[in-house]
Amino acid sequence: MTTITSKVCIVGDFAVGKTSVVERFVTNQFSDKYLTTVGVKIDTKEIDLPDTDVRHKLVLWDVAGSDRFGDKEFAYLRGAAGLVFVADGTRFGTVDSALQLRGQIDERYGPIPSVILLNKHDLASEWTVSEERIGELGLVFADVYRTSAKTGEEVESALLRLASSIVETTLSDAP
Amino acid sequence: MKLPQVVVEHLQSDFLAETRPFCVLIDANHRVVDTWGDGEWLGLAGLPAGTDLFEYAPYLLGTLDEGPFRLNFVSSPAGAVMNLVTIPHKDQHYAVFLDARRAHDDLQKKQQVSNEAVLLQANQLKLIARQRDLIAELVEAKVELNHHRRDMERTSAGKTRFIAMMSHEFRTPLASIVNYSDLALEKDSGLEEMRKSIEAISRSSRHLTSLVDAILDEARLDAGHVTLRERDFDLLELLDDLSAMMAPLAAEKGLSYATRVDADVPTHIRADDVCLRQILINLLGNAVKFTEEGGIRLYISCSDGRLVASVADTGPGISLEDQERVFRAFERGGNLQSIRSGAGLGLTITLGLAELMRGEISLDSTPGLGCTVTVYVPIVAVDDVVESEAPLPVPDASVFAVQGTTVLLCDDDEDMVALLEHYLHRAGYALITTESGAEAVEKAAAYQPDAVIMDINVPGLSGLDAARELRDKDYAGPIIAHTASKLSAEDQATFTRYFRKPAAMNELLMTIKSLTSNHAA
């Protein structure tokens, strides 16, 4: 079996649920308690790619929440093969933060396979992000997911989709 | 200043105690060459040479590409928090791990407080916005509530006026009935005087009935219980009937009465003749009632498939402000309120009937110069009219029973029992009387009468339940409901016939005779 190891960074504004998304994906657990991440929190998850003999080891870098990156934050992203942008559907400003980060990262590192997660879909009735705005996100991100780290809705689908994109990109970039 | 050795050693000691540095020298393939320090707090203790460091420290991925590189506050999967420094040396790298737990935890606490404060503020803003929305909704609801309250007050005031007016309207004929009854009962009343008293009682009773009918008609229209029944009929015949009815009333007041029909108005039409008749009776009746001099004109024409019927009078007219009000229930032109009798529902019912016929009404009046009310209703001209069933024979006052016919009468009203007893005995029926439903069932089972006349609101078992029980006990004779209550179509089906009090006695007697003849046959 071949093992591919990829660094995936999870970025977005603070308190959008990045750590909860990772926790749901890695351990299938969720905690309601909000605990601010300082620096970066590393976790790993191995997945077997369907219909292949490839195991994909994802090294997940849960980066402290920010609406704008400086040099210290950019350092965390070095060598990232994929990016998970997370925004909070109940705070429309966090979508703007995700778009701003996307612009900064594109400028610094060029295009990297990405997905965006509009999180807290379990609170859909409190969402302030309009369908029109979500439609606009589709023009910037190839894959837009409405997720809930609380219920698990679409979290695994989004991460697996990104893992596939990374493999596709890796294979296409291979000599 | 050059620090003395003792100070340098002190600082070094503190730094080493605080950061517990662990260094790993790795080759170009990130395999361990050598280690320095205690890696236990990192979970990296005892790494043998040749081990792939990335296996144990995957967070080093991406940190060895360029020269000296530092990452602060990296939390490892094993739970360690470190500052990580990679330093290239020839074709190898030194990876230095420094324990940063304490500084991380201090910063985390501060950051937590700061972030929670921002979240709290955002939530407060959301709550304020929500509060503002709720206040706006509340204001809107209050405005709507006030609007409804004013409507209710208007309705309530209208109903209060109506009750006061009806009290007067009911009391007038009631007073006549009570006083003439007393007069008729006086011992020295002569036969002629008694006959006049009874005529007065009869007139007042009929007037009371018409008042009650008007109120019930309005209620039925309001509740949507009136349905359109269109049929082919002779319009000129209907207009002749109206003339026969209205012309004498107009003549009594010294008024002229005329009907004019345009030549292009079809003789035979399809519409609801009962509704149309009631509309015209109401309008013509009003015109006669309110006109003291001059006359009444009914003008019939046709326009765009609609029958146009205008009733014009030379009465006092209706002021502009009253013109809309007169079509609302329980309202009448203000200047007329105290001088005319009636429920004040005539125009409301008329409008309701016209709308039921998919038609409309217009009113044109100048105070002092009379009033013209025009009704527009859609009609279809038809070639001919199939004669309807022959009208019911005029009730004969001397209806005689089939020999040996027995009728069971169940009613708890003594006067009504006495009245029916009088008529039934006079007609030659044998009579069994009961006052309760249970007794009626018992006696009907025992004596098997040829017919049963059943009141509904009787003590104990109701007349309706008694009728059902009789049917369950296979009583096959006719059961006639005779009640002041309104019965649903389903309840009416329990009975052979249904008479609403006050019923025309001759009609009731004819029905009993007809049903008992059939039954006997």
Side-chain angles (χ1 to χ4, degrees):
Chain A
M1 174 169 285
T2 311
T3 300
I4 299 172
T5 303
S6 303
K7 175 175 174 176
V8 172
C9 291
I10 294 90
V11 297
D13 216 332
F14 75 94
V16 294
K18 295 182 294 298
T19 305
S20 294
V21 164
V22 173
E23 194 175 351
R24 170 61 71 187
F25 181 58
V26 175
T27 66
N28 198 26
Q29 287 179 341
F30 175 80
S31 167
D32 256 327
K33 189 170 160 52
Y34 168 57
L35 202 63
T36 305
T37 302
V38 169
V40 64
K41 207 169 161 206
I42 313 293
D43 230 318
T44 58
K45 167 101 173 175
E46 288 186 2
I47 51 174
D48 290 328
L49 296 180
D51 305 323
T52 64
D53 196 24
V54 177
R55 174 164 293 172
H56 197 168
K57 182 175 181 179
L58 298 172
V59 183
L60 303 162
W61 287 55
D62 172 16
V63 180
S66 176
D67 57 352
R68 188 170 183 82
F69 278 173
D71 284 344
K72 271 194 284 187
E73 287 82 11
F74 274 124
Y76 294 130
L77 267 56
R78 206 159 80 168
L83 296 169
V84 178
F85 290 84
V86 184
D88 176 352
T90 68
R91 289 154 61 208
F92 67 87
T94 61
V95 173
D96 296 337
S97 302
L99 285 169
Q100 181 162 272
L101 293 177
R102 168 75 192 244
Q104 279 191 289
I105 295 167
D106 279 357
E107 199 176 308
R108 182 104 167 203
Y109 293 114
I112 300 172
S114 309
V115 289
I116 184 163
L117 276 54
L118 292 171
N119 198 32
K120 305 192 185 177
H121 200 228
D122 52 292
L123 303 175
S125 63
E126 295 174 30
W127 271 34
T128 54
V129 180
S130 65
E131 286 299 320
E132 192 184 358
R133 188 77 173 126
I134 294 171
E136 287 167 8
L137 284 176
L139 303 174
V140 180
F141 294 92
D143 298 296
V144 181
Y145 288 87
R146 292 168 177 82
T147 61
S148 166
K150 187 170 186 173
T151 65
E153 181 188 351
E154 292 279 71
V155 170
E156 192 167 73
S157 310
L159 271 292
L160 292 182
R161 175 79 196 102
L162 179 66
S164 295
S165 297
I166 292 169
V167 172
E168 283 164 20
T169 307
T170 307
L171 293 178
S172 67
D173 288 351
Chain B
M1 182 179 75
K2 186 178 179 197
L3 291 178
Q5 187 59 26
V6 64
V7 176
V8 171
E9 281 174 7
H10 184 73
L11 290 175
Q12 279 177 339
S13 168
D14 270 4
F15 177 76
L16 292 174
E18 173 79 24
T19 63
R20 296 189 284 171
F22 177 61
C23 299
V24 184
L25 178 63
I26 50 177
D27 65 16
N29 295 317
H30 27 90
R31 296 194 177 275
V32 176
V33 177
D34 205 354
T35 64
W36 179 87
D38 178 13
E40 186 143 357
W41 62 273
L42 272 166
L44 296 178
L47 281 176
T51 307
D52 183 349
L53 186 59
F54 280 16
E55 284 288 319
Y56 294 89
Y59 39 88
L60 286 168
L61 202 63
T63 64
L64 305 176
D65 298 342
E66 294 170 26
F69 184 71
R70 182 185 175 96
L71 287 177
N72 288 336
F73 300 130
V74 178
S75 300
S76 78
V81 181
M82 73 196 86
N83 290 335
L84 173 65
V85 184
T86 56
I87 303 162
H89 180 70
K90 297 178 183 169
D91 57 347
Q92 296 176 324
H93 273 86
Y94 284 101
V96 181
F97 305 89
L98 302 168
D99 188 357
R101 165 70 69 188
R102 188 185 293 176
H104 171 273
D105 289 356
D106 288 347
L107 186 60
Q108 202 276 337
K109 276 179 200 154
K110 287 178 191 159
Q111 193 67 54
Q112 180 86 18
V113 170
S114 164
N115 285 1
E116 282 181 353
V118 175
L119 287 175
L120 193 65
Q121 197 183 14
N123 281 337
Q124 276 174 339
L125 288 174
K126 260 192 211 171
L127 284 174
I128 290 168
R130 180 74 190 124
Q131 196 179 26
R132 202 179 299 132
D133 288 349
L134 284 173
I135 289 170
E137 279 173 31
L138 206 64
V139 169
E140 203 174 311
K142 200 178 168 190
V143 168
E144 203 173 328
L145 205 64
N146 280 338
H147 182 69
H148 285 311
R149 201 190 63 215
R150 277 196 295 276
D151 276 355
M152 281 178 68
E153 282 170 358
R154 260 202 298 274
T155 306
S156 174
K159 297 225 162 153
T160 305
R161 266 201 312 279
F162 169 72
I163 288 165
M165 190 174 75
M166 288 318 292
S167 170
H168 172 261
E169 297 297 340
F170 276 114
R171 278 177 181 283
T172 308
L174 276 173
S176 174
I177 290 167
V178 170
N179 297 337
Y180 274 110
S181 303
D182 290 345
L183 180 64
L185 288 171
E186 277 179 9
K187 284 180 183 162
D188 55 353
S189 286
L191 206 59
E192 181 60 19
E193 209 165 12
M194 198 178 282
R195 200 179 62 80
K196 281 185 178 169
S197 297
I198 290 169
E199 277 174 4
I201 291 169
S202 175
R203 267 198 310 278
S204 297
S205 305
R206 283 172 213 290
H207 180 52
L208 262 181
T209 308
S210 72
L211 284 176
V212 172
D213 283 347
I215 294 167
L216 293 179
D217 281 350
E218 207 284 322
R220 284 170 65 228
L221 268 172
D222 199 34
H225 289 159
V226 179
T227 50
L228 205 60
R229 290 198 179 117
E230 291 186 343
R231 69 180 194 99
D232 300 347
F233 66 96
D234 187 326
L235 177 64
L236 297 183
E237 208 170 89
L238 186 146
L239 295 172
D240 285 346
D241 280 355
L242 290 174
S243 290
M245 192 186 298
M246 292 297 163
L249 296 176
E252 264 181 35
K253 295 181 75 176
L255 304 171
S256 64
Y257 181 93
T259 303
R260 183 185 141 193
V261 182
D262 272 2
D264 62 344
V265 174
T267 304
H268 300 126
I269 62 169
R270 181 175 303 146
D272 187 324
D273 60 325
V274 176
C275 275
L276 182 61
R277 183 185 294 266
Q278 195 176 341
I279 287 171
L280 294 175
I281 287 174
N282 287 350
L283 294 180
L284 290 166
N286 266 355
V288 172
K289 191 192 290 180
F290 293 115
T291 306
E292 298 301 331
E293 276 181 61
I296 317 298
R297 299 281 177 274
L298 170 60
Y299 172 46
I300 305 289
S301 60
C302 251
S303 170
D304 298 331
R306 298 200 298 179
L307 183 78
V308 182
S310 292
V311 175
D313 65 46
T314 52
I318 301 171
S319 70
L320 203 58
E321 61 176 19
D322 283 338
Q323 285 185 15
E324 192 194 339
R325 222 156 51 84
V326 292
F327 286 105
R328 290 207 294 262
F330 315 132
E331 306 240 15
R332 221 188 276 156
N335 55 334
L336 304 168
Q337 194 139 323
S338 59
I339 58 167
R340 294 286 184 268
S341 64
L345 295 170
L347 283 176
T348 309
I349 293 168
T350 306
L351 178 63
L353 290 172
E355 284 174 350
L356 184 71
M357 293 180 79
R358 300 181 297 278
E360 54 193 323
I361 289 186
S362 72
L363 189 152
D364 182 22
S365 177
T366 307
L369 295 177
C371 176
T372 301
V373 183
T374 306
V375 183
Y376 306 82
V377 287
I379 55 160
V380 176
V382 292
D383 293 337
D384 203 357
V385 175
V386 179
E387 281 304 316
S388 57
E389 292 170 23
L392 284 173
V394 177
D396 184 350
S398 55
V399 180
F400 292 103
V402 176
Q403 192 68 33
T405 308
T406 308
V407 174
L408 187 146
L409 169 64
C410 176
D411 201 314
D412 62 335
D413 182 86
E414 281 177 24
D415 291 338
M416 187 51 71
V417 170
L419 187 71
L420 285 169
E421 253 178 359
H422 167 77
Y423 281 115
L424 290 167
H425 277 151
R426 191 177 75 175
Y429 291 99
L431 198 61
I432 304 164
T433 56
T434 67
E435 288 185 1
S436 73
E439 196 186 349
V441 173
E442 195 183 308
K443 287 191 174 174
Y447 302 111
Q448 290 295 315
D450 297 291
V452 174
I453 302 173
M454 186 75 81
D455 187 13
I456 300 299
N457 290 317
V458 287
L461 188 71
S462 75
L464 182 61
D465 289 336
R468 286 183 182 139
E469 211 169 309
L470 279 174
R471 290 302 182 214
D472 288 346
K473 289 179 186 294
D474 296 329
Y475 174 73
I479 306 176
I480 300 162
H482 182 226
T483 174
S485 310
K486 180 168 168 51
L487 294 188
S488 67
E490 190 188 345
D491 290 343
Q492 282 184 36
T494 308
F495 296 92
T496 318
R497 289 282 191 282
Y498 163 55
F499 280 88
R500 187 96 181 263
K501 291 175 182 174
M505 278 302 143
N506 281 338
E507 200 178 331
L508 179 63
L509 290 170
M510 289 290 288
T511 302
I512 296 167
K513 184 179 179 186
S514 155
L515 290 172
T516 51
S517 301
N518 292 343
H519 183 53

